[in-house]
Amino acid sequence: MYNFNNSLKEWLSDPNIINLHLPDFVYIENFHEGGGQGIVFKGLVNDSPAAIKVYFPGGQLHQRIVREILALKTLNCPNIVDLLWHSQIEINGNLLPIVATSFVFGQTLKTLISENSLSSAQIGTLGYDVTNAIKYMWAKRIVHRDIKPSNIICKDDGRFCVIDLGIARHIDQTNLTSGIIAWGTLGYMSPEQFSAVKQLTCKSDLYALGILMIECAVGSHPTFYDQLRLLSINYNLESNLPQEAKNCDFSDLICRLLHQRPTFRPKPGTVLETLRSYS
């Protein structure tokens, strides 16, 4: 995705070298995972477990990181990671932003689904916790735009936490892209998000939650990430749901979350009330 020289790649592969450039209260322990935007390490910030992400240089990424930091600063939700520290380091003429968030002990929803379908209690808890995160974000006029299994952690206590606001859309701020670009992950985008509608609302994230709930009930994605096929199926009719989703306790809610028109999807508060027994 980005072009790097070999010395920068070598620097990013060695936590000991990175630690030389960090303040005393920040310490990288080991590699955690890599991605398209940077590398995530497990470490400590003021002795608190942290996920420390070193971002690659390039394009509009820096502006997006600034917006992610501002978003995390304003959000205080038990279902969204906490911002612990942020800075940037200059290496070989490259400014590398670093963002540290609270390390969430558990496993990604992606891993959980790969092992088996989820129970009704787990799906209900997922629905409540993710909706609560969506509600908190929307109160700040933020749309996550990338609600998917790899961006949700099932904590050791069984509750769920949303991570990675890297492509979140801040409705009250200037759009960072020009032209028609649909940001998100194929297989989870709402009809309006896939159409690159700029003024998205929280209803778009709720649509993605509906897909997640089907995926958790079935144990696999309903269209195997085929976005066009996903949008061609009228899931607001229960008869079109996969059998496992029809049989779960939330089939009616899933149908409402997946209405093609966002105005007909429930508001976050309505979803939370529906799932209040899982709070």
Side-chain angles (χ1 to χ4, degrees):
M1 187 173 182
Y2 301 107
N3 294 318
F4 306 103
N5 56 45
N6 289 331
S7 60
L8 182 57
K9 289 181 179 179
E10 182 179 352
W11 183 85
L12 287 172
S13 68
D14 190 341
N16 293 321
I17 295 177
I18 302 175
N19 280 325
L20 295 175
H21 298 267
L22 300 178
D24 292 340
F25 61 88
V26 180
Y27 179 73
I28 288 177
E29 296 177 324
N30 49 55
F31 172 85
H32 183 59
E33 62 181 359
Q37 294 184 335
I39 299 176
V40 181
F41 298 91
K42 184 179 178 183
L44 298 169
V45 174
N46 288 319
D47 295 325
S48 295
I52 303 171
K53 186 167 185 176
V54 181
Y55 286 88
F56 303 143
Q60 297 174 331
L61 183 59
H62 182 76
Q63 292 173 275
R64 293 192 180 281
I65 296 165
V66 170
R67 290 194 175 185
E68 180 178 16
I69 291 168
L70 292 174
L72 288 171
K73 279 183 175 180
T74 64
L75 295 169
N76 182 21
C77 173
N79 307 113
I80 301 174
V81 290
D82 296 321
L83 177 68
L84 299 180
W85 172 79
H86 65 91
S87 186
Q88 59 183 13
I89 298 173
E90 183 175 354
I91 301 295
N92 296 337
N94 295 284
L95 282 177
L96 306 179
I98 301 180
V99 177
T101 56
S102 53
F103 189 88
V104 182
F105 290 93
Q107 57 184 334
T108 65
L109 181 61
K110 181 178 181 179
T111 299
L112 205 61
I113 294 172
S114 70
E115 296 172 349
N116 207 344
S117 58
L118 275 63
S119 66
S120 288
Q122 287 176 306
I123 297 173
T125 302
L126 168 75
Y128 186 92
D129 289 351
V130 174
T131 300
N132 196 44
I134 291 170
K135 181 182 179 182
Y136 267 78
M137 287 186 286
W138 185 238
K140 303 295 183 180
R141 289 300 181 263
I142 296 169
V143 182
H144 189 283
R145 296 199 301 181
D146 207 19
I147 298 291
K148 60 182 180 181
S150 60
N151 280 341
I152 297 172
I153 303 292
C154 179
K155 299 190 287 186
D156 289 342
D157 64 0
R159 306 306 303 195
F160 292 87
C161 182
V162 174
I163 63 173
D164 199 344
L165 276 69
I167 66 167
R169 175 76 172 97
H170 301 245
I171 301 304
D172 295 336
Q173 296 185 22
T174 303
N175 192 10
L176 288 178
T177 57
S178 59
I180 301 175
I181 300 175
W183 288 90
T185 299
L186 294 175
Y188 298 96
M189 287 191 276
S190 66
E192 63 273 21
Q193 184 178 356
F194 187 66
S195 299
V197 171
K198 291 185 177 180
Q199 293 302 314
L200 293 175
T201 72
C202 60
K203 301 288 188 72
S204 183
D205 285 342
L206 288 173
Y207 182 94
L209 172 61
I211 299 299
L212 283 183
M213 294 177 77
I214 293 180
E215 191 170 357
C216 289
V218 174
S220 60
H221 191 278
T223 65
F224 299 98
Y225 316 104
D226 186 331
Q227 181 70 37
L228 294 178
R229 184 180 166 210
L230 178 69
L231 298 182
S232 71
I233 300 174
N234 189 8
Y235 277 128
N236 61 291
L237 295 177
E238 188 170 328
S239 59
N240 289 334
L241 292 176
Q243 190 60 47
E244 297 89 342
K246 291 179 188 176
N247 295 338
C248 82
D249 297 337
F250 314 104
S251 57
D252 178 66
L253 175 61
I254 291 171
C255 289
R256 289 186 287 139
L257 290 171
L258 294 178
H259 201 289
Q260 295 283 347
R261 297 176 62 183
T263 53
F264 288 96
R265 295 175 209 147
K267 296 179 179 179
T270 302
V271 179
L272 291 176
E273 178 61 24
T274 302
L275 299 174
R276 65 184 181 280
S277 61
Y278 299 95
S279 63

